[in-house]
Amino acid sequence: MTVQPIRLFGDPVLRTPAEPVVDFDKQLRRLVKDLTDTMLDAGGAGLAAPQLGVGLRVFAFNVDEVVGHLVNPSLEFPDEEEQDGEEGCLSIPGIYADTKRRMNVVASGFNEYGDPVRLVGSGLMARCVQHETDHLDGVLFLDRLDPAARKEAMKAIRAAEWYDPARPPTVKVSPHASAGPLGLVS
Ligand SMILES: [Zn+2]
């Protein structure tokens, strides 16, 4: 059984920046398999290691039937184009909000064997890569909403069945918010 429980908003692991992978070993490949299996089981477009409680810079993606993973990603944006569209998160079930992202991204990183890989994505793939890389920095899509939309989302979260008042979630303002449209670089 490699499908693992997904950590929910309020769990401190989701707010902890993840560490770079150093050893491209069997354990890493096990993690990639767990991420991929859990993501596919949950019907998600992506899943980052902190969502399984693992503080490593790894995520899996599943966009337009392209399933893959990226280790130690770094993002570059080839242009200024933006997109706005609905975004959700497997760690914040049932909550969706329009979230601004860059339209095009070039992600550099490694596969599970340590080979360098480059992922050029636009639209939904670019959105996914930005969302998952945010997870590795302890950032959630809620942080990227404007204050009114964030307030509305928090209200919906407090009313959600999974919400645990003993572990209240924290929303923080994006650390990149003041950096303008180029601020999504992680
Ligand atoms: Zn997410």
Side-chain angles (χ1 to χ4, degrees):
M1 189 69 178
T2 52
V3 172
Q4 306 285 335
I6 295 173
R7 304 297 182 95
L8 295 176
F9 187 33
D11 191 317
V13 74
L14 295 174
R15 287 313 200 176
T16 308
E19 297 290 330
V21 169
V22 177
D23 297 317
F24 290 79
D25 55 8
K26 225 166 141 180
Q27 259 183 320
L28 174 68
R29 290 188 280 280
R30 176 74 194 256
L31 172 61
V32 167
K33 185 160 173 39
D34 287 353
L35 283 169
T36 306
D37 289 352
T38 306
M39 169 186 70
L40 295 174
D41 180 70
L47 192 67
Q51 293 179 278
L52 296 186
V54 179
L56 289 173
R57 300 186 72 82
V58 187
F59 66 78
F61 57 85
N62 167 35
V63 178
D64 298 331
E65 287 170 38
V66 180
V67 176
H69 66 276
L70 203 56
V71 179
N72 296 348
S74 69
L75 306 190
E76 282 175 80
F77 301 103
D79 55 42
E80 306 283 313
E81 202 181 337
E82 289 190 333
Q83 54 175 324
D84 197 6
E86 196 171 71
E87 200 163 308
C89 180
L90 292 174
S91 294
I92 315 172
I95 309 297
Y96 301 90
D98 284 348
T99 309
K100 273 206 183 87
R101 296 284 184 183
R102 297 294 286 267
M103 178 62 93
N104 300 298
V105 66
V106 180
S108 307
F110 301 88
N111 68 15
E112 61 189 342
Y113 300 102
D115 305 317
V117 290
R118 223 163 99 99
L119 174 66
V120 180
S122 62
L124 202 56
M125 180 64 93
R127 176 178 294 283
C128 171
V129 165
Q130 290 166 79
H131 179 112
E132 301 312 327
T133 303
D134 268 356
H135 270 303
L136 306 182
D137 295 328
V139 173
L140 301 170
F141 81 94
L142 300 170
D143 304 330
R144 298 206 175 273
L145 305 179
D146 63 49
R150 190 182 304 130
K151 206 173 156 189
E152 203 176 306
M154 282 307 296
K155 209 171 138 190
I157 286 166
R158 277 188 285 268
E161 211 174 289
W162 53 267
Y163 174 70
D164 179 1
R167 278 185 120 178
T170 52
V171 171
K172 60 183 183 187
V173 173
S174 167
H176 310 300
S178 59
L182 290 168
L184 282 167
V185 182
S186 45

